[in-house]
Amino acid sequence: MSRRVSWYEWTTAAVASTALLGFAAAGWLLWYEVFGFLTGGACVWLVVRQHILNWPLGLLNNTVFFVLFLDTRLYADMGLQVVFFALGVYGWWNWVRRGPDAMPLKPTHAGRREWLAVGVFVAVASFGLRELLLAVNGSAPLGDAVTTALSLGAQFLLCRKRIENWYFWIIADIIYVPLYVSRDLPLTAVLYGVFLVMCVIGLFAWRRTMREVPR
């Protein structure tokens, strides 16, 4: 069930966007980091609200972060944006397609097979990506690999509107914040700190929706 975004939320977003763009114009922040912050923050908040516009905005965010991570040599996160783009197209289609009987797609719990598949994937992908990143001289092989694997698992569950996607995002964001601080990306670190708070809000919001809507 999509929740309407209030005028207060739109106003807050507009004020924050204007301020950050002003900082970028003054040369205090990188333009693509600012655009990544704005599109990423808006995208996650729309996911919390279960709003369909999160998907096209997310595709724009993937493009911006691809450039940012290429410049900072976080290669796994850079490649992750390509996969995110493909998953974003799938998720957009899946949410628009709706659930059984053409009803809006509702948040549901992941089944045992999904849990097992995502868990095995995260473990195997973390190990494999770490070895690959060591070979290509990545700047943070372990952190980059683990967050990439967690994010892919989370995005897959989000595409299927499983409430467990929030747990994976929360773990990933806890690792992302110090990772980006270490790479001199303070605004991106702040963004992922905001993501962390939004993920907790999203978890409780989706739980509330599941209690309100008959299944």
Side-chain angles (χ1 to χ4, degrees):
M1 179 183 297
S2 177
R3 307 268 181 175
R4 180 178 297 178
V5 180
S6 69
W7 68 268
Y8 173 77
E9 291 168 315
W10 284 119
T11 302
T12 301
V15 171
S17 299
T18 302
L20 287 171
L21 291 173
F23 291 148
W28 298 340
L29 295 172
L30 298 174
W31 278 104
Y32 51 67
E33 193 176 6
V34 168
F35 280 115
F37 187 109
L38 295 176
T39 55
C43 178
V44 174
W45 187 247
L46 289 173
V47 172
V48 172
R49 309 293 284 177
Q50 300 179 51
H51 200 293
I52 195 68
L53 286 180
N54 86 84
W55 295 109
L57 196 59
L59 297 180
L60 175 60
N61 178 257
N62 298 149
T63 304
V64 173
F65 271 117
F66 180 91
V67 177
L68 175 63
F69 294 138
L70 173 63
D71 188 55
T72 54
R73 293 174 41 241
L74 288 170
Y75 299 127
D77 276 339
M78 180 190 74
L80 178 62
Q81 303 310 310
V82 178
V83 182
F84 270 169
F85 195 96
L87 285 173
V89 173
Y90 165 67
W92 194 356
W93 171 81
N94 200 40
W95 280 35
V96 169
R97 186 171 60 94
R98 297 172 173 259
D101 303 321
M103 296 296 290
L105 193 65
K106 308 168 190 173
T108 53
H109 286 291
R112 290 182 180 179
R113 290 184 179 180
E114 285 176 313
W115 264 112
L116 179 61
V118 173
V120 170
F121 169 80
V122 169
V124 173
S126 294
F127 176 79
L129 282 171
R130 177 181 176 275
E131 296 302 307
L132 176 62
L133 292 170
L134 285 170
V136 299
N137 194 32
S139 59
L142 180 60
D144 204 2
V146 171
T147 51
T148 296
L150 286 168
S151 297
L152 285 172
Q155 186 71 7
F156 172 75
L157 293 171
L158 174 61
C159 289
R160 299 176 66 82
K161 216 167 188 180
R162 307 302 193 207
I163 195 170
E164 287 81 6
N165 83 88
W166 296 113
Y167 297 123
F168 285 85
W169 286 126
I170 288 169
I171 296 171
D173 290 341
I174 289 172
I175 303 172
Y176 269 130
V177 172
L179 175 63
Y180 292 140
V181 169
S182 72
R183 299 307 303 159
D184 296 322
L185 294 171
L187 185 59
T188 303
V190 171
L191 173 62
Y192 276 78
V194 174
F195 281 171
L196 178 58
V197 175
M198 286 184 175
C199 287
V200 175
I201 294 172
L203 175 61
F204 284 100
W206 281 34
R207 280 181 176 177
R208 185 167 56 251
T209 298
M210 292 176 68
R211 290 196 299 267
E212 291 173 353
V213 181
R215 287 167 292 167

